[in-house]
Amino acid sequence: METRWFLSKIQDDFRGGKINLEKTHRLLEKLDIRCSYIHVKNIFKTSDYPVVLSLENHCSPAQQEVMADNLQTTFGESLLSDMLDDFPDTLPSPEALKFKVLVKNKKIGTLKETRERKGSDKRGDNQDKETGVKNLSGVMLFKKKKIRKLKISLALSDLVIYTKAEKFRNFQHSRLYQQFNENNSIGETQARKLSKLRAHEFIFHTRKFITRIYPKATRADSSNFNPQEFWNIGCQMVALNFQTPGLPMDLQNGKFLDNGGSGYILKPHFLIDSKSDFNPSNIKESMPITLTIRLISGIQLPLSHSSSNKGDTLVIIEVFGVPNDQMKQQTRVIKKNAFSPRWNETFTFIVQVPELALIRFVVESQGLIAGNEFLGQYTLPLLCMNKGYRRIPLLSRMGESLEPASLFVYVWYIR
């Protein structure tokens, strides 16, 4: 559920009261919240499946009402503003939400109350939402924290249906009190700690609730973490800084090649089944795959900075997945030939959990002094690889095609 995810930061601009939208996709580029019809139409150009518009909302209630009006005007019938009749108390499937835009934000009240207010005038109707802990049944279950109140406009609140933003406290609180339409956002540091210490509870949590992982605040350089560790425990949304190329973005783009690049892929059965005791750090039962790749040759590999077809080229094949499946192997170096190098080398990998595994091909030019130079890469899910003789296209560091540069391989695997 990654490529259909938009994170927007909306705040008051006091130079005239205009609402600005700051979108983290390429570079942080300020855009007016009003979108043209062409932009809205293009949202579903790649995929019919729903788009989640996550609002980091710092606006006053009056500006929130303007925001709600703009969202309704811009998206029209595509904006989901009421629960589906067939899903009053469960999350609908992406199939049931095709061509819909979902707003993720704080919400006041229940879905039933939202439906009862439908069609009424909500202007000027604002409520305080407390963020903190609740004293339930006279017993303080969790550490008391300072309670702060947020002013939320009912007009904007009622546009939030199945993606209500709710602060994550702990797994026990979620099991007891969290509603089916409440989503959690957890910082990478806390999520990493929980995934190591309480993996079973984390996976149980992601079976019931949509969970988003976001980069820690100290990543001032917009660097990224490895998303694989959070896919391994079933997190549906793993937010990355798309403007920063590198390994994490290669894994992100490769992961969602599956299912036609629609932005949605099915979880493996062991991350859904309530009887499963799957733990990515402690694999007890598995059906491993023996993967064999014969790397035959390269075709017009990208030029190095020396602008010569006589680079010393090599290929690294990496496996990303559960910790025990992380491995890599590399070819020998072919001297002074980047145009048509021939390796004809065979590599074998035993992958314990192939459903979560990604294969990454990296082409480098050997450098003895400054280190190897990156030339191109391609990443894809292991189970998306077809058997037989195959051509592997290469992409640049920015994810752009390097046609006709490619690798020629023979792939085989057995279970």
Side-chain angles (χ1 to χ4, degrees), residues 392-410:
I392 307 293
L394 293 178
L395 305 177
S396 70
R397 190 178 297 278
M398 296 299 297
E400 299 165 341
S401 173
L402 294 173
E403 287 285 357
S406 57
L407 300 173
F408 186 49
V409 302
Y410 179 80

Side-chain angles (χ1 to χ4, degrees), residues 328-340:
K328 64 180 179 181
Q329 299 185 48
Q330 75 175 54
T331 66
R332 68 185 188 281
V333 177
I334 300 297
K335 296 287 186 178
K336 299 181 179 180
N337 184 1
F339 186 78
S340 58

Side-chain angles (χ1 to χ4, degrees), residues 129-264:
K129 181 174 177 61
E130 294 184 351
T131 60
V133 299
K134 297 180 180 179
N135 193 345
L136 301 168
S137 302
V139 180
M140 182 59 74
L141 298 178
F142 310 102
K143 185 178 179 180
K144 188 174 182 179
K145 294 184 180 179
K146 183 179 180 181
I147 294 176
R148 60 191 179 95
K149 294 183 178 181
L150 301 176
K151 284 279 189 180
I152 297 179
S153 163
L154 274 183
L156 182 60
S157 171
D158 283 357
L159 297 182
V160 179
I161 306 300
Y162 294 117
T163 46
K164 175 185 176 183
E166 188 67 21
K167 180 178 176 61
F168 175 77
R169 294 179 176 87
N170 55 52
F171 295 131
Q172 181 189 5
H173 182 277
S174 295
R175 284 197 303 272
L176 294 175
Y177 307 113
Q178 190 162 327
Q179 301 301 306
F180 75 98
N181 65 324
E182 294 177 342
N183 309 161
N184 301 129
S185 291
I186 308 175
E188 64 166 295
T189 302
Q190 182 185 13
R192 185 174 293 113
K193 182 178 179 181
L194 291 171
S195 68
K196 292 178 179 178
L197 301 178
R198 309 176 73 173
H200 288 298
E201 289 182 85
F202 209 146
I203 293 173
F204 180 84
H205 181 84
T206 60
R207 289 190 190 118
K208 297 185 65 178
F209 308 111
I210 295 176
T211 305
R212 170 179 170 262
I213 310 300
Y214 60 90
K216 58 187 177 183
T218 54
R219 292 186 181 273
D221 58 350
S222 293
S223 60
N224 283 313
F225 54 84
N226 186 336
Q228 184 69 51
E229 60 183 315
F230 302 116
W231 292 332
N232 289 345
I233 53 176
C235 295
Q236 293 88 346
M237 296 176 173
V238 182
L240 297 176
N241 291 304
F242 273 49
Q243 69 271 28
T244 305
L247 172 62
M249 280 305 302
D250 293 343
L251 297 180
Q252 152 79 21
N253 294 331
K255 177 80 169 177
F256 290 91
L257 288 174
D258 199 356
N259 199 22
S262 65
Y264 287 78

Side-chain angles (χ1 to χ4, degrees), residues 276-288:
S276 171
D277 61 350
F278 176 76
N279 184 338
S281 300
N282 183 18
I283 305 299
K284 296 178 181 178
E285 297 181 7
S286 67
M287 296 180 63

